[in-house]
Amino acid sequence: MNIVNKLTLRHLKENKKRTVITVIGIIISVAMITATCVSVTSLLSLFEKSTRYNSGDWHCQLLSATAEQVQKLSENRDLKYVALYTNHEEEGYGFNIHNRERESLGVGSIGAGNRDYFSAFLTAPYTGNVPSNENEIMVTQDFLTKNKLDWKLGDVVTIDIGKRTQVYEDGVVEPIVGKYSIGETFQSIGEKKFTVVGILQEKNEPTRSIPILRGLATGEDNNASVFITANTLNKDTESLIKNAVQTVGISEESMNFHRDLFRYNLILRDADPALTTIAGFSLIILVIIVIASVMLIYNAFGISISERSRYLGMLASVGATRAQKRNSVYFEGFVLGLIGIPLGFGAGILGMFITFQALQPLIAESGLNISDSAALVLDFPWWILLVIAAVSAVTIAISAFIPAKRASKTTPIDSLRQNTDIKVKAKHLRSPRIVRTIFGYEGELAYKNMKRNGKKSRVITSSLVLSIILFLSVNTFCSMFMEANKMSTAIPYQISVNILDKHAEQFRADAAKLDSADKMYGVENLMLHVKTDKANYKSAYADRYEEKGFTIYVAVVDDIDFNIFCRENGMDHKAFYDTSAGLPILLLNGMDRTETAAKVFEDCIVGTSLSTGEDGILPPLDVKGLISYKNSDNYCYDLLPAGVICAYAPKSAVEEKEMMASDIIGFETDDHEKLYNDLMLLGESGEYGKINVVDYQEQMRMMNSTLMIMQVFIYGFIALMTLIAAANIFNTVSTSIDLRRKEFAMLKSVGVTPKGFRRMLQFESLFYGLKALIYGLPLSIGISFLMWYALNEGSMTIPFHLNWRIYLAVIAAVFLIVGLSMLYSTAKVKKDTIISTLKSDII
């Protein structure tokens, strides 16, 4: 080790506080990079395991294959499974065990598969064995429980086999496969004996709608669905399967690859919106982390160079070259990186482990963590550590670049004169009169100190500005990301029933008698694309929407409820029943459905007609009034994508225009399971035709949990960015004050009182904060707008708005952090004596 590097190590040891601060900055940086990379790889691993659990372990489906072709594929040693499955859909191959209490529970379909099928598609635990022939069956425990059957392994049971069909209003007859459908019929073709050889203990997701599985019969391997699984899944798997399949005479058009499984293993053949979003979001986070880290570590290196400028000058005086001085800074970065990068690895991995453990309950509720084999755990390839180390090393190198360049230019004269940071002429120190008028002598002195300190002052200001920009930009980006991916969770009803309009009135009357239904109302809607003149839009939306139009969601409201709604908002409901000019609607003047939403339309849109663009097939929409979200009711609550405009129309007007063929009824309840069963029983017992009952409770629970997981990651990242920004400001300001101890001693020597000294520093804090906000806030708004525009690709589906509460919080935080930094630093120099400080070698 050369003498320069030895002196660098000695400097690091002697300045333990500065060394520790720099190492902490590196640890935070590496930990955040590690957390980002590890969380992405772990989530992709979770998605892959969850996909296998929910849809089976297969790589390619063949739409048609003969028995001879299947046999040849089975002999291919590169293929792990050649799974065959059939449910005789063309014959309606079903069963009916004739449940006396509720026949629908005992009706279903039987699926048939070979041994490879059960290996690939049974992802839930089971007892016993898988069926090996057409006389052996495997049943789900859920099916046995619901039908109160005491079937056990080895039992021989008799099941009525037949055809399940559905007759529609137009006379069309279709086979039914899977779950029971209200209104279906069962035509028996005879009883058959089966031996129970296996019982699925849980609901097996890939075969969820098929409660009974049997082995394949002789001859059923012709034209069965074929699912192929290769021995390994990598970038060559698709080509391997194509070659194997084409070799036996099957065309590429008959292949359907399991793209989700390929994508979650980062084997991409085409663009995937979800992965593109994750990759883009992760890349932006990494860039922000690197920028924030460079800002923090750069200041630490810059301060280190200022502290050891004397010894750098001394090295120059005895012949040290510019390269040696520059390399001393890089060597310092190398040493600190050797300490900080491994510790950062550990901190990031530990942090994600704790986060994953805390998230397990939410992940379980989201439906992703559905078994011990599909849990969110730390899962990352070894090469990701090399990527993290490389990104961290580049971050440190960038941070050290400018300080190293400054160090290389240090001369003996500069180090002795100690004036490299103060290069200002007297005329530039003149302060505006308003400063002394408002803040007095101490304010003027603080203002001149800022200008006189030159680079030191600019370092503090730039650190504040960058911290403001990073925090606000990250917050805005995360908010927009959440808004772009959010799903409305404001649906007030838990159950919905879709029924033909002609049966709806009778069904409503009968459903109203159910004790489990607390409230019932229509939730039918129309989704249309409309256009209107440019003059009807506010300026922010005029060009975009006048050119392409917009999607409108028309909530069809029961007449009585609509009349009450109008009365509560001071409107005459009678106007909304005049259908002479088209379908009358009440238009919601907002897009993002919040009370602070910006208005989209001008008042002149009232009285105009919106063309639906359906070439006269559908009537135009006659705008009878505008309403703000604050005064709206909760009828626009469906799972709407961003950018959809809401409107309201009375049900009778929609029916008069013949725009409804069916009716959707929403039910509010405290016991969604009981109400679901009650409605199913009602549908089975009455003559309502085909109805569809949907339970939203489980769906909404999963959506809420998934949204919560996203929020934990995003707001956790914001919290870390806040920590970095605060640490950077505190470190920069406190060190700057510490390096000015000689200057403060001089001011005291010429008569500045302790009170005046405190006021001067208070005004300095104020000026730094004001200057940083003057630059930081407009730049943050501009960057936020550019991010919004890029995220929307100019489509304006997500309205641009700023969270003014966050901006106020940032303004307060800037003054608070700068003020506390000043107080902390001045408390340390408060006891310094004038003579000892002036005699010291402190800059």
Side-chain angles (χ1 to χ4, degrees), residues 162-207:
K163 297 180 180 180
R164 299 169 55 203
T165 56
Q166 179 83 58
V167 181
Y168 292 92
E169 295 287 330
D170 55 3
V172 175
V173 180
E174 290 186 358
I176 298 293
V177 177
K179 292 183 178 180
Y180 177 80
S181 177
I182 294 176
E184 72 169 77
T185 59
F186 178 80
Q187 180 183 353
S188 175
I189 58 177
E191 293 183 339
K192 183 174 175 58
K193 293 184 181 295
F194 295 96
T195 301
V196 179
V197 298
I199 297 177
L200 278 159
Q201 300 303 310
E202 299 177 6
K203 292 179 180 178
N204 191 67
E205 294 301 318
T207 62

Side-chain angles (χ1 to χ4, degrees), residues 388-421:
I388 295 169
V391 173
S392 303
V394 169
T395 300
I396 295 173
I398 294 173
S399 305
F401 176 75
I402 295 178
K405 189 175 181 181
R406 284 178 53 197
S408 68
K409 294 180 179 180
T410 302
T411 65
I413 298 298
D414 290 336
S415 63
L416 290 172
R417 294 176 63 185
Q418 296 289 297
N419 66 348
T420 54
D421 287 333

Side-chain angles (χ1 to χ4, degrees), residues 528-537 545-546 549-554 581-588 600-626 645-648 659:
L528 305 168
H529 187 78
V530 300
K531 287 188 176 183
T532 186
D533 295 336
K534 183 175 181 178
N536 292 324
Y537 296 108
Y545 280 166
E546 196 273 335
F550 60 89
T551 300
I552 186 169
Y553 171 98
V554 182
L583 177 66
I585 62 169
L586 176 59
L587 194 59
L588 182 61
V600 178
F601 305 106
E602 298 284 0
D603 292 340
C604 60
I605 196 173
V606 177
T608 64
S609 291
L610 307 181
S611 171
T612 58
E614 299 290 343
D615 299 325
I617 298 176
L618 294 176
L621 302 181
D622 182 15
V623 182
K624 294 291 188 179
L626 279 174
I645 302 294
C646 286
Y648 310 88
M659 299 176 73

Side-chain angles (χ1 to χ4, degrees), residues 397-467:
I398 294 173
S399 305
F401 176 75
I402 295 178
K405 189 175 181 181
R406 284 178 53 197
S408 68
K409 294 180 179 180
T410 302
T411 65
I413 298 298
D414 290 336
S415 63
L416 290 172
R417 294 176 63 185
Q418 296 289 297
N419 66 348
T420 54
D421 287 333
I422 303 176
K423 294 180 180 180
V424 63
K425 296 181 180 180
K427 64 179 182 179
H428 293 153
L429 288 177
R430 293 173 185 170
S431 62
R433 289 185 179 180
I434 191 172
V435 173
R436 184 157 189 167
T437 302
I438 297 176
F439 302 106
Y441 169 73
E442 292 85 355
E444 184 178 14
L445 187 59
Y447 181 83
K448 290 185 176 182
N449 280 339
M450 276 183 54
K451 302 192 74 174
R452 191 180 69 85
N453 281 319
K455 288 183 179 179
K456 295 177 183 177
S457 176
R458 287 195 293 273
V459 166
I460 295 176
T461 304
S462 62
S463 296
L464 287 168
V465 170
L466 284 172
S467 297

Side-chain angles (χ1 to χ4, degrees), residues 710-729:
M710 294 172 63
Q711 288 175 330
V712 168
F713 278 102
I714 287 175
Y715 290 115
F717 176 66
I718 290 177
L720 287 174
M721 287 304 304
T722 304
L723 178 64
I724 283 186
N728 180 61
I729 295 172

